[in-house]
């Protein structure tokens, strides 16, 4: 009987140890793109672009933990849209106004590393993560669709309070960076000059939950 209890205890401890080695970390919040707005624009054009420079930010990461280090995969997504009325001159020199609507989507995916004090005996948890991978951009205005991708970086810092041994919650500040040298518009590749590159870098503030298994 005693041997059975000892065996059951050993199995339980092993399962508990195994369970604590995985972290599943989703977050949702708001992001702000930091690329400069081109100069010389009208007020309507500035307001239109402003609508695309902030939007919903979502990311999710999964880690296998070895003590205070986590090794895993991270995915993030940014979505923004803007509607407006822009003006242009026609061939006869008359000013013509027309409605315009654009939807932007920026995604990132790549291997990620995390440092945390999740294993420490405190309810106040912190973590730092960094990922290097592929950042992709899709923009659609009417029938025109543009796509592009390049090497990107995603890094963040979070503070969390332990609601239980397996669930932590709190805020997170992160930055996602990348630049496109070229894009495809309806299948046609367009190379950008040094002063025309598409900056995808953004800063995000999110609410984050960690589930430990």
């Amino acid at each position: 009987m005693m041997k059975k209890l000892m065996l059951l205890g050993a199995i339980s401890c092993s399962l508990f140890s195994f369970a604590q080695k995985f972290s599943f970390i989703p977050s949702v919040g708001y992001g702000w793109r930091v690329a400069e707005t081109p100069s010389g624009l009208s007020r309507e054009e500035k307001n239109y672009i402003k609508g695309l420079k902030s939007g919903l930010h979502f990311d999710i990461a999964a880690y296998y933990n070895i003590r205070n280090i986590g090794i895993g995969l991270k995915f993030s997504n940014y979505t923004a849209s803007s509607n407006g009325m822009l003006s242009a001159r026609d061939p006869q020199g008359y000013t013509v106004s027309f409605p315009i609507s654009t939807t932007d989507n920026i995604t990132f995916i790549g291997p990620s590393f995390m440092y945390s004090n999740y294993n420490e005996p405190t309810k106040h948890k912190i973590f730092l993560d960094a990922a290097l991978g592929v950042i992709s951009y899709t923009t659609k205005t009417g029938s025109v669709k543009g796509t592009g991708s390049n090497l990107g970086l995603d890094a963040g810092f979070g503070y969390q309070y332990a609601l239980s041994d397996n669930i932590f919650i709190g805020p997170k500040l992160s930055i996602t960076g990348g630049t496109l040298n070229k894009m495809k518009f309806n299948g046609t590749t367009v190379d950008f000059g040094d002063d025309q590159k598409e900056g995808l870098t953004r800063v995000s503030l999110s609410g984050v939950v960690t589930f430990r298994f």
Side-chain angles (χ1 to χ4, degrees):
M1 183 67 174
M2 184 59 68
K3 290 183 178 179
K4 290 182 178 180
L5 289 175
M6 291 177 64
L7 179 59
L8 181 60
I11 293 174
S12 297
C13 289
S14 297
L15 290 175
F16 181 80
S17 175
F18 175 80
Q20 294 299 305
K21 288 185 177 180
F22 292 92
S23 299
F24 179 69
I25 310 176
S27 71
V28 62
Y30 216 66
W32 297 267
R33 293 179 64 178
V34 300
E36 292 186 7
T37 301
S39 59
L41 300 180
S42 66
R43 185 180 64 179
E44 290 79 9
E45 290 171 330
K46 289 181 179 179
N47 289 336
Y48 172 68
I49 292 177
K50 184 179 179 180
L52 296 172
K53 296 191 71 173
S54 61
L56 182 66
H57 167 90
F58 166 79
D59 67 51
I60 188 168
Y63 295 98
Y64 176 79
N65 301 292
I66 305 173
R67 295 183 180 178
N68 292 334
I69 302 298
I71 302 172
L73 187 69
K74 187 173 187 180
F75 170 83
S76 72
N77 183 76
Y78 168 88
T79 303
S81 61
S82 184
N83 303 303
M85 292 290 296
L86 299 184
S87 299
R89 291 188 178 276
D90 64 13
Q92 286 73 39
Y94 295 103
T95 300
V96 178
S97 297
F98 54 92
I100 188 170
S101 178
T102 297
T103 299
D104 281 357
N105 185 263
I106 302 172
T107 61
F108 169 90
I109 188 168
S112 182
F113 297 89
M114 177 183 69
Y115 171 83
S116 72
N117 68 340
Y118 287 166
N119 292 323
E120 303 297 328
T122 174
K123 286 187 173 295
H124 302 282
K125 308 295 185 180
I126 61 171
F127 70 87
L128 297 163
D129 65 11
L132 187 66
V134 177
I135 189 168
S136 301
Y137 176 49
T138 300
T139 180
K140 188 173 183 180
T141 303
S143 60
V144 179
K145 181 179 180 180
T147 60
S149 61
N150 204 349
L151 188 67
L153 171 70
D154 190 293
F157 168 77
Y159 163 80
Q160 295 178 300
Y161 183 79
L163 299 179
S164 69
D165 290 340
N166 298 335
I167 301 177
F168 316 144
I169 189 170
K172 183 183 74 169
L173 180 67
S174 60
I175 182 168
T176 306
T179 303
L180 297 184
N181 302 315
K182 60 183 179 180
M183 290 181 64
K184 283 187 177 181
F185 293 92
N186 288 359
T188 300
T189 300
V190 177
D191 292 310
F192 300 142
D194 291 337
D195 58 345
Q196 297 178 325
K197 294 179 180 180
E198 184 69 41
L200 304 179
T201 301
R202 71 179 184 273
V203 176
S204 305
L205 183 62
S206 309
V208 58
V209 181
T210 294
F211 299 95
R212 298 267 286 168
F213 300 102

